[in-house]
Amino acid sequence: MKTFKYISHALLTLVSLSLAHPGMGDTMAVVRREANKVKRAEAKVLIGDLRTLKDSQLTPIAKDIKAILLDQLDAESSVIDTSIPAGALGSTACKADLCCIWKWVSYEMTAKFNGTSGRCTKFARQAVRLGFHDAGAWSNTSSYGGADGSILLTDEISRADNNGLSAIADQMNSWYRKYSPYGVSMADLIQMGATVATVVCPLGPRIRSFVGRKDNTKAAPTGLLPGHLDSADTLIKLFAAKTIDAHDLVALVGAHTTSQQHFVDTARGGDPQDSTPGVWDVKFYPETTGSAAPRVLKFQSDINLSKDSRSAGEWKEFSNPTNGQDHWNEDYAKAYTRLSLLGVNNINELKECTKVLPPRRGSYVAEDQAILNIWLQGQFDQLNDLVDGAIMLTGVGAGGSGTVINP
């Protein structure tokens, strides 16, 4: 019955689109996408304590999480609390409001993650990656690991997999020392950092954010994180063991759109993975498969994934300049929700504090685009750190010296 319902929906979608747009050439593509959604939805599996609990035992929040995991509910939210926090840290009023402490956390994170150019800073991009690496060190054969804070509560951060995360690690540890006395876990702090960072980056989705994860001081298993040289087959199998399919994997790697690498090729430290570093747009997808500015460095693993028959279709969907952004944001939010709950065995106890996240920025125009374009062509290497920090590039010295004026 479930399959029939989805197929019927696909056919009705086709009919309505055909009536509204006679001769529309991509209606079959829409149907194929709907059919793929059927297969994907039916293949979704539950994780954590949701695997054993009955619906009658679930809290309203856990029911929503279950629906998100089964691809039945959107993982984005526009609910924003614009009021000031209920009280100061440690006050009776703040203690009475679960999300009060998280509003204070969100204020600090937002300030740290937003650069003067309007792009998101290296701290934001590292926060997203930190969230990936803490949660992603888990598989369906693991008895521990996942989104448990162990990446910063053990020596995990010193592993080669985590090169380039030292700055955000230091910042997270500072926030943890400040907020843990008020009940904030490292596991939640890391995942809240990832969702705050995502929405601070221009065009990024506002992902529903849950708290209540438990910390773990046992280092996660090794060998569970992807490498930049991995084949598509290796990546797809690695993530399948995390209950993440090829479609969601393609959505997740799109986070490379904001990045600037420093360890894949040390001779090109600071080079981005698409032409809009610090912006959460879909240019990463077509620029990985097609032409890109000289400074754009493409990861071999991304190229491999873009060409594999199991993932190439979705890669092409996200590359669409018309609706790729909304499609990607929707899919990324669901995929990241799943990732952020790997290894979490008390999902039924979680609470929601999405309302403390800052508003989403649905548009962005770089005022320093002219200078950024010159930098993308391979000039002005000394601007690398400023772009990485999302500093406004307001001018370059005469004679091509590359000196930044009033950054």
Side-chain angles (χ1 to χ4, degrees):
M1 289 300 294
K2 183 177 178 183
T3 301
F4 177 78
K5 177 177 130 181
Y6 277 98
I7 292 176
S8 296
H9 175 71
L11 292 174
L12 285 172
T13 300
L14 171 61
V15 171
S16 62
L17 284 171
S18 297
L19 289 174
H21 305 280
M24 186 171 163
D26 60 351
T27 50
M28 288 308 298
V30 174
V31 172
R32 283 194 296 270
R33 182 180 171 190
E34 291 296 324
N36 286 334
K37 286 174 69 175
V38 174
K39 295 178 183 178
R40 292 184 60 245
E42 293 185 335
K44 294 292 185 182
V45 298
L46 295 175
I47 54 178
D49 50 333
L50 296 184
R51 293 174 297 175
T52 57
L53 294 174
K54 299 177 181 179
D55 280 351
S56 59
Q57 297 174 289
L58 299 181
T59 66
I61 290 172
K63 287 180 180 178
D64 275 5
I65 292 174
K66 179 177 179 178
I68 291 170
L69 295 177
L70 295 179
D71 204 16
Q72 298 168 352
L73 186 66
D74 192 0
E76 296 179 77
S77 173
S78 59
V79 177
I80 302 173
D81 181 1
T82 58
S83 65
I84 62 173
L89 293 178
S91 67
T92 301
C94 200
K95 289 179 181 178
D97 177 2
L98 171 71
C99 295
C100 175
I101 186 69
W102 288 106
K103 179 165 279 194
W104 287 114
V105 171
S106 179
Y107 283 163
E108 286 207 49
M109 288 181 168
T110 299
K112 193 71 176 179
F113 296 161
N114 192 21
T116 59
S117 66
R119 293 183 288 272
C120 56
T121 67
K122 65 180 181 181
F123 289 98
R125 301 192 294 274
Q126 288 180 26
V128 173
R129 186 165 169 244
L130 186 70
F132 269 71
H133 284 214
D134 190 41
W138 179 91
S139 78
N140 53 18
T141 60
S142 305
S143 59
Y144 64 99
D148 58 8
S150 64
I151 193 170
L152 296 181
L153 295 173
T154 69
D155 63 355
E156 275 182 56
I157 195 66
S158 64
R159 296 175 182 174
D161 288 337
N162 299 319
N163 283 342
L165 291 175
S166 59
I168 192 61
D170 290 345
Q171 181 59 68
M172 282 290 178
N173 281 321
S174 176
W175 282 331
Y176 181 67
R177 289 191 294 272
K178 179 176 181 178
Y179 292 108
S180 59
Y182 305 103
V184 170
S185 71
M186 180 67 87
D188 283 341
L189 194 65
I190 290 171
Q191 295 308 321
M192 184 65 78
T195 54
V196 171
T198 299
V199 75
V200 167
C201 293
L203 311 186
R206 199 165 178 277
I207 304 172
R208 293 184 66 174
S209 301
F210 307 98
V211 297
R213 297 171 186 80
K214 298 182 183 299
D215 283 344
N216 179 24
T217 55
K218 181 178 182 179
T222 60
L224 295 179
L225 295 176
H228 68 92
L229 296 176
D230 284 349
S231 68
D233 194 57
T234 296
L235 290 169
I236 290 170
K237 288 178 179 177
L238 179 70
F239 278 81
K242 304 181 196 301
T243 74
I244 294 171
D245 63 16
H247 177 116
D248 285 349
L249 171 56
V250 173
L252 289 172
V253 300
H256 288 161
T257 187
T258 65
S259 72
Q260 287 176 252
Q261 71 81 35
H262 292 274
F263 290 91
V264 171
D265 185 344
T266 55
R268 296 180 57 180
D271 282 0
Q273 279 54 78
D274 75 9
S275 59
T276 52
V279 179
W280 196 274
D281 60 21
V282 291
K283 288 191 176 182
F284 161 78
Y285 291 104
E287 290 184 7
T288 297
T289 56
S291 61
R295 198 179 288 276
V296 172
L297 191 154
K298 306 176 185 183
F299 294 166
Q300 186 59 49
S301 56
D302 292 335
I303 295 172
N304 296 340
L305 199 60
S306 73
K307 294 179 178 179
D308 190 273
S309 60
R310 292 163 290 182
S311 45
E314 204 58 29
W315 201 285
K316 184 177 180 180
E317 289 272 354
F318 294 148
S319 300
N320 189 320
T322 302
N323 58 15
Q325 185 73 49
D326 289 342
H327 179 189
W328 176 46
N329 279 351
E330 177 186 353
D331 289 1
Y332 181 89
K334 291 178 184 177
Y336 193 81
T337 297
R338 175 178 289 274
L339 181 72
S340 73
L341 295 171
L342 296 181
V344 178
N345 295 309
N346 65 323
I347 294 175
N348 201 39
E349 300 174 2
L350 299 185
K351 308 298 181 184
E352 183 169 9
C353 285
T354 308
K355 65 182 183 179
V356 306
L357 270 62
R360 176 177 182 267
R361 288 189 286 167
S363 62
Y364 172 72
V365 176
E367 295 181 20
D368 55 0
Q369 191 64 53
I371 298 173
L372 194 64
N373 287 342
I374 298 173
W375 176 80
L376 286 164
Q377 291 303 310
Q379 300 183 50
F380 304 139
D381 287 347
Q382 61 270 44
L383 300 187
N384 287 11
D385 289 342
L386 293 177
V387 179
D388 215 14
I391 303 299
M392 175 72 79
L393 309 176
T394 58
V396 176
S401 67
T403 303
V404 177
I405 300 171
N406 299 322

